[in-house]
């Protein structure tokens, strides 16, 4: 059975939650709204691709193209605008394994929301969006009537295989004019431009206004430090696809999750034993130079079905620490059931004395997906006020799988 997450590489659409009735946007009302979904196209059967990858323990095949609203590019894809009007674009990254740069030729973008929370407006020529994230963007059609390319391509800073193609659409003005044979193309950052990604993400701040307040937990009851890695599991089969005939296995605190046959919520509710363990650790098994030389002792993780039990109402802080084990990569982490305040990030090893001094406690964005930098760390806070069993995972599906 194909994992449900990989089904979004087939048919998908957006659920748009409107503002509360009687309220208004914290910006001038746009003329119209448009959903733009970034996704991936596979020529092969997606079920067969992920099934083969999980059987042999290797990375899955890369996609054959990226799509904008289901189409791999112009001339199959275009959006019509009226000169002088402002439009609200609801941008969703539904790709499987890549963060994406997005831009429109000759048009400035004003970012006003992320993950359903308003932001202080950001004027920019491009955005960078991770899988699982949403970004709301205002665009004013203030150029001469013509055709202008909309384009998106990946931001990727790892050594694993990836789709390096660019997907396009056309922003088409209404009017009487001769369309250009070669429309203007936006200047997108280079695929490996870490500085461009950082230049955008570090500008993101919550609106934090009287009408749209935030409530950052000032104290902490539960402190959790989680290392995020891709490891290897040994195997006695001769056809394994990982390094040295191993199976690739992602881990948190050096534990690779083992999916139970009975889901954890049922086991908890029915008080069933031997389904999961409630002892997911607050620290990794050992402390080492996380972003330095790979520690061979931690290349092989343990496996288990472990949950972290948190009392209702507790204020939680989690520091996610990327490691250099196996193959460092950016990790877009996603916690179901909550929006968390993203306090900050940095490169290298988290330092419990100096790193917290860089936290943004005044207007941190409230998000449900956030990037842990390659060979770096990121910190969130939230209040555990939504009872349930919640999945926490990297939104790169090759890692989640």
């Amino acid at each position: 059975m194909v994992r449900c997450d990989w089904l979004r590489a087939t048919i998908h659409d957006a659920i748009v939650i409107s503002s509360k009735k009687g309220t208004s946007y914290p910006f001038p009302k746009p003329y119209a709204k448009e959903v733009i979904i970034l996704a991936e196209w596979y020529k092969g059967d997606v079920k067969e691709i992920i099934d083969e990858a999980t059987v042999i323990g290797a990375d899955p095949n890369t996609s054959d193209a990226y799509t904008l609203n289901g189409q791999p590019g112009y001339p199959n894809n275009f959006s019509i605008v009226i000169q002088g009007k402002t439009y609200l674009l609801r941008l969703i990254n539904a790709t499987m394994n890549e963060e994406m740069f997005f831009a429109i030729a000759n048009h400035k973008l004003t970012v006003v929301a992320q993950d359903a929370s308003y932001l202080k407006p950001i004027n920019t020529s491009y955005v960078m969006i991770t899988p699982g994230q949403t970004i709301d963007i205002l665009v004013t059609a203030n150029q001469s009537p013509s055709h202008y390319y909309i384009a998106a391509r990946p931001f990727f800073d790892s050594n694993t295989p990836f789709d390096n193609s660019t997907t396009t659409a056309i922003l088409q003005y209404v009017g009487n004019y001769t369309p250009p044979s070669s429309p203007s193309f936006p200047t997108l950052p280079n695929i490996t431009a870490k500085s461009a990604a950082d230049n955008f993400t570090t500008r993101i701040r919550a609106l934090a206004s009287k009408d749209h307040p935030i409530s950052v937990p000032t104290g902490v009851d539960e402190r959790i430090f989680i290392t995020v890695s891709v490891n290897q599991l040994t195997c006695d089969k001769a056809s394994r696809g990982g390094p040295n005939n191993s199976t690739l296995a992602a881990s948190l605190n050096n534990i690779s999750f083992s999916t139970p046959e009975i889901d954890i919520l049922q086991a908890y509710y029915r008080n069933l034993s031997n389904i999961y363990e409630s002892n997911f650790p607050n620290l990794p098994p050992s402390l080492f130079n996380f972003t330095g030389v790979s520690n061979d002792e931690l290349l092989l993780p343990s496996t288990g079905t472990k949950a972290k039990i948190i009392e209702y109402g507790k204020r939680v802080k989690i520091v996610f620490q990327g490691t250099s084990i196996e193959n460092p990569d950016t990790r877009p982490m996603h916690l179901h059931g909550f929006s968390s305040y993203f306090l900050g990030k940095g490169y290298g090893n988290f330092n419990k004395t100096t790193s917290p001094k860089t936290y943004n406690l005044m207007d941190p964005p409230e998000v449900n997906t956030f990037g842990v930098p390659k060979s770096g760390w990121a910190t969130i806070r939230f209040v555990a006020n939504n009872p349930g069993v919640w999945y926490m995972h990297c939104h790169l599906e090759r890692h989640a799988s």
Side-chain angles (χ1 to χ4, degrees):
M1 179 178 177
V2 65
R3 279 178 50 87
C4 61
D5 291 342
W6 283 82
L7 289 179
R8 75 170 184 270
T10 57
I11 297 174
H12 55 254
D13 206 341
I15 297 174
V16 177
I17 302 174
S18 301
S19 301
K20 185 177 180 180
K21 193 171 183 178
T23 64
S24 60
Y25 296 117
F27 46 81
K29 183 179 179 180
Y31 174 75
K33 292 164 281 191
E34 183 76 35
V35 173
I36 297 180
I37 303 177
L38 304 176
E40 291 184 72
W41 173 261
Y42 292 80
K43 291 180 180 178
D45 185 304
V46 176
K47 181 182 186 305
E48 292 179 358
I49 289 171
I50 187 55
D51 282 354
E52 179 183 6
T54 52
V55 165
I56 67 174
D59 271 323
N61 291 342
T62 61
S63 59
D64 296 287
Y66 297 106
T67 62
L68 277 159
N69 285 355
Q71 298 290 342
Y74 179 74
N76 299 316
N77 210 355
F78 61 90
S79 182
I80 297 175
V81 296
I82 299 173
Q83 188 181 35
K85 301 295 185 181
T86 297
Y87 297 80
L88 178 62
L89 306 182
R90 302 188 187 274
L91 182 66
I92 301 170
N93 187 348
T95 64
M96 308 305 295
N97 293 303
E98 287 83 21
E99 299 174 295
M100 300 292 287
F101 289 119
F102 172 89
I104 303 175
N106 296 3
H107 289 75
K108 290 294 183 183
L109 312 178
T110 301
V111 177
V112 292
Q114 182 182 50
D115 287 354
S117 294
Y118 290 121
L119 303 175
K120 291 180 171 65
I122 302 170
N123 295 316
T124 180
S125 60
Y126 67 92
V127 304
M128 197 283 289
I129 182 170
T130 74
Q133 277 186 338
T134 65
I135 294 179
D136 288 7
I137 304 167
L138 294 176
V139 177
T140 300
N142 56 8
Q143 299 299 302
S144 300
S146 187
H147 287 184
Y148 299 89
Y149 267 112
I150 304 169
R153 70 179 175 199
F155 161 59
F156 204 82
D157 62 349
S158 179
N159 293 323
T160 57
F162 71 102
D163 180 352
N164 64 357
S165 64
T166 300
T167 184
T168 61
I170 286 291
L171 187 72
Q172 177 180 323
Y173 277 66
V174 171
N176 295 319
Y177 57 88
T178 301
S181 57
S182 298
S184 297
F185 202 88
T187 302
L188 287 166
N190 291 329
I191 287 176
T192 58
K194 181 175 70 174
S195 60
D198 287 344
N199 287 342
F200 173 71
T201 57
T202 55
R203 298 172 64 190
I204 297 174
R205 297 285 188 273
L207 182 58
S209 65
K210 179 181 177 181
D211 292 331
H212 302 280
I214 61 173
S215 181
V216 184
T218 55
V220 176
D221 304 305
E222 189 86 40
R223 291 175 170 83
I224 307 172
F225 185 91
I226 299 177
T227 53
V228 187
S229 308
V230 171
N231 309 69
Q232 299 174 20
L233 292 174
T234 57
C235 186
D236 56 6
K237 294 183 179 180
S239 59
R240 287 298 174 180
N244 303 315
N245 199 40
S246 67
T247 293
L248 295 176
S251 74
L252 298 176
N253 276 349
N254 215 45
I255 303 167
S256 189
F257 188 78
S258 180
T259 304
E261 293 185 4
I262 298 175
D263 68 70
I264 293 176
L265 179 58
Q266 287 191 55
Y268 178 86
Y269 185 77
R270 298 176 180 176
N271 199 26
L272 302 178
S273 59
N274 301 320
I275 304 300
Y276 70 95
E277 298 174 275
S278 58
N279 60 348
F280 182 86
N282 281 7
L283 290 169
S286 65
L287 301 178
F288 61 101
N289 182 8
F290 302 112
T291 58
V293 177
S294 178
N295 189 325
D296 290 339
E297 293 179 3
L298 295 176
L299 182 62
L300 304 178
S302 62
T303 59
T305 307
K306 295 183 181 288
K308 174 64 184 175
I309 309 299
I310 297 176
E311 293 182 21
Y312 180 85
K314 293 297 185 182
R315 298 164 297 179
V316 183
K317 182 185 81 169
I318 305 179
V319 176
F320 294 87
Q321 174 69 64
T323 76
S324 58
I325 295 174
E326 182 58 37
N327 191 17
D329 201 349
T330 301
R331 326 281 187 185
M333 299 302 296
H334 179 69
L335 174 60
H336 291 213
F338 296 91
S339 287
S340 304
Y341 289 103
F342 183 72
L343 302 188
K345 65 178 182 178
Y347 290 98
N349 297 331
F350 179 83
N351 184 294
K352 65 180 181 181
T353 301
T354 59
S355 297
K357 294 179 181 179
T358 67
Y359 287 169
N360 172 19
L361 298 175
M362 297 297 296
D363 54 1
E366 192 174 11
V367 300
N368 55 55
T369 306
F370 50 91
V372 180
K374 175 183 176 182
S375 300
W377 56 268
T379 301
I380 63 170
R381 282 187 194 173
F382 64 94
V383 177
N385 56 6
N386 187 13
V389 174
W390 301 111
Y391 185 37
M392 182 174 67
H393 62 98
C394 175
H395 226 297
L396 302 183
E397 296 310 333
R398 67 179 189 275
H399 292 168
S401 298

